[in-house]
Amino acid sequence: MMASGPTSNSFISQRLKLHYADWGNEDAPPLLLVHGGRDHCRSWDWVAEKLRDRYHIIAPDLRGHGDSAWSPDGNYEMGAFVYDLAQLIHQLDLAPVTIVSHSMGGNISTRYSGLFPDKVKKLVSIEGLGPSPAVQEERGKTPFDERMRQWIEDKRQAAGRQPKRYATLDDALARMAAENAYLTPEQARHLTIHGINRNEDGSWSWKFDNYLNIWTIFDMPQEELHKLWAKISCPTLLLYGADSWASNPEKDGRIEHFGNAKVIEFENAGHWLHHDQFDRFMSTLDDFL
């Protein structure tokens, strides 16, 4: 990694103090890098270093992640995340902005881009469209009241669960490496160092809020989400890993809801394809930008 990294800054959204990394070069066009669930803004460092000479790069920590505040009620619904992104772009006067996003960050960014199509110049979403039609259909087979009772029970259990503690940094590093076999040792160590805090007793715990493991059952109807996707007017790139669990929108039909989007699938890559095939990802990103 380069010796000169980003500066740490914060902004206020819905009374929460949220963190973002700023890579400088303020006179250049703005570029937002939005991470996925249970991740953090410094997972974009390799991308930021390649693009910092051409763009003013901002990488936020989503609420409940990294160095941002946790939601006081333990609820993390998509509307709040979209508001946070809208507030960041508004407060820093970034529009029209280019957005590169991953997973949950892509879900947030595509919604924002449909709500405010005039504020987004270009959009890249890495496996960021949320559950596939097949998953949605299977989920719909369970009555809503049953799902809500389960949600209440899951929340109750989460309230009594302590964040996992690792005796050493190497133990946490081993967990990170096990999560994604494609990571190089350097990548795994960097992601671990920036994604973990040390506890008072000397142990280590991940920075993200455990309540993020309990996904809200309240969200906008799929047909309304599809309408938002259709309102995205900027050039859009949807990237998928061939070895990922995520469903390719060209194969499941969701691409039909986009008016100006292209899908590219990466061989020998999983859900974190921007780590798994970094050189190819950067080449693809450079061509698109």
Side-chain angles (χ1 to χ4, degrees):
M1 308 301 294
M2 292 180 62
S4 58
T7 59
S8 291
N9 298 273
S10 62
F11 71 107
I12 303 299
S13 179
Q14 297 181 315
R15 300 178 179 173
L16 292 185
K17 185 177 181 180
L18 304 182
H19 171 262
Y20 66 91
D22 188 331
W23 288 82
N25 200 12
E26 294 185 4
D27 293 331
L31 172 63
L32 271 179
L33 302 176
V34 187
H35 68 76
R38 297 183 297 179
D39 205 343
H40 53 82
C41 69
R42 300 301 300 273
S43 68
W44 291 110
D45 282 6
W46 296 278
V47 176
E49 286 177 354
K50 293 290 187 181
L51 299 177
R52 65 186 300 182
D53 60 331
R54 287 180 281 158
Y55 295 93
H56 176 204
I57 294 176
I58 301 291
D61 276 325
L62 301 175
R63 61 170 57 203
H65 297 77
D67 295 317
S68 284
W70 293 3
S71 177
D73 62 1
N75 287 319
Y76 292 95
E77 52 93 16
M78 286 300 298
F81 286 116
V82 174
Y83 180 89
D84 294 342
L85 184 65
Q87 188 69 354
L88 175 64
I89 293 170
H90 172 72
Q91 283 196 18
L92 300 187
D93 193 23
L94 300 177
V97 64
T98 296
I99 303 176
V100 178
S101 52
H102 173 237
S103 195
M104 186 174 76
N107 202 338
I108 298 164
S109 299
T110 51
R111 295 178 189 219
Y112 175 84
S113 300
L115 287 168
F116 303 100
D118 59 315
K119 296 184 182 297
V120 184
K121 186 176 181 180
K122 290 186 178 181
L123 172 65
V124 179
S125 176
I126 304 168
E127 303 205 349
L129 298 187
S132 69
V135 170
Q136 291 284 346
E137 182 180 0
E138 186 63 28
R139 184 177 297 168
K141 294 178 181 179
T142 303
F144 182 81
D145 61 323
E146 184 176 334
R147 282 186 282 138
M148 188 161 186
R149 283 192 293 272
Q150 184 61 54
W151 176 77
I152 291 173
E153 179 60 26
D154 290 343
K155 294 280 283 187
R156 185 174 293 132
Q157 291 183 9
R161 185 183 306 126
Q162 294 298 316
K164 182 174 177 59
R165 295 187 174 219
Y166 298 87
T168 68
L169 183 62
D170 284 342
D171 290 339
L173 175 59
R175 179 67 183 90
M176 175 66 71
E179 182 71 16
N180 184 2
Y182 284 105
L183 290 176
T184 66
E186 178 197 5
Q187 287 175 319
R189 177 166 289 277
H190 182 82
L191 294 171
T192 300
I193 289 172
H194 289 287
I196 206 163
N197 279 326
R198 195 159 200 182
N199 301 306
E200 188 174 359
D201 64 358
S203 64
W204 303 81
S205 295
W206 301 114
K207 289 180 177 180
F208 64 81
D209 187 350
N210 271 338
Y211 277 87
L212 287 161
N213 292 311
I214 314 300
W215 190 247
T216 179
I217 59 171
F218 301 103
D219 197 5
M220 65 191 307
Q222 283 295 297
E223 56 269 24
E224 295 300 328
L225 180 58
H226 296 161
K227 291 177 183 178
L228 276 187
W229 291 347
K231 292 181 181 293
I232 298 174
S233 59
C234 67
T236 302
L237 193 59
L238 306 176
L239 304 181
Y240 281 77
D243 300 331
S244 175
W245 47 263
S247 178
N248 186 316
E250 274 190 330
K251 300 174 182 177
D252 64 32
R254 288 180 293 176
I255 189 63
E256 298 175 1
H257 301 294
F258 290 83
N260 190 18
K262 179 181 180 181
V263 179
I264 298 178
E265 188 171 274
F266 282 56
E267 296 295 328
N268 300 314
H271 185 55
W272 290 269
L273 64 86
H274 53 307
H275 296 327
D276 304 346
Q277 293 291 334
F278 176 73
D279 290 340
R280 184 187 172 192
F281 169 73
M282 288 307 306
S283 176
T284 301
L285 186 59
D286 278 333
D287 290 343
F288 178 72
L289 296 179

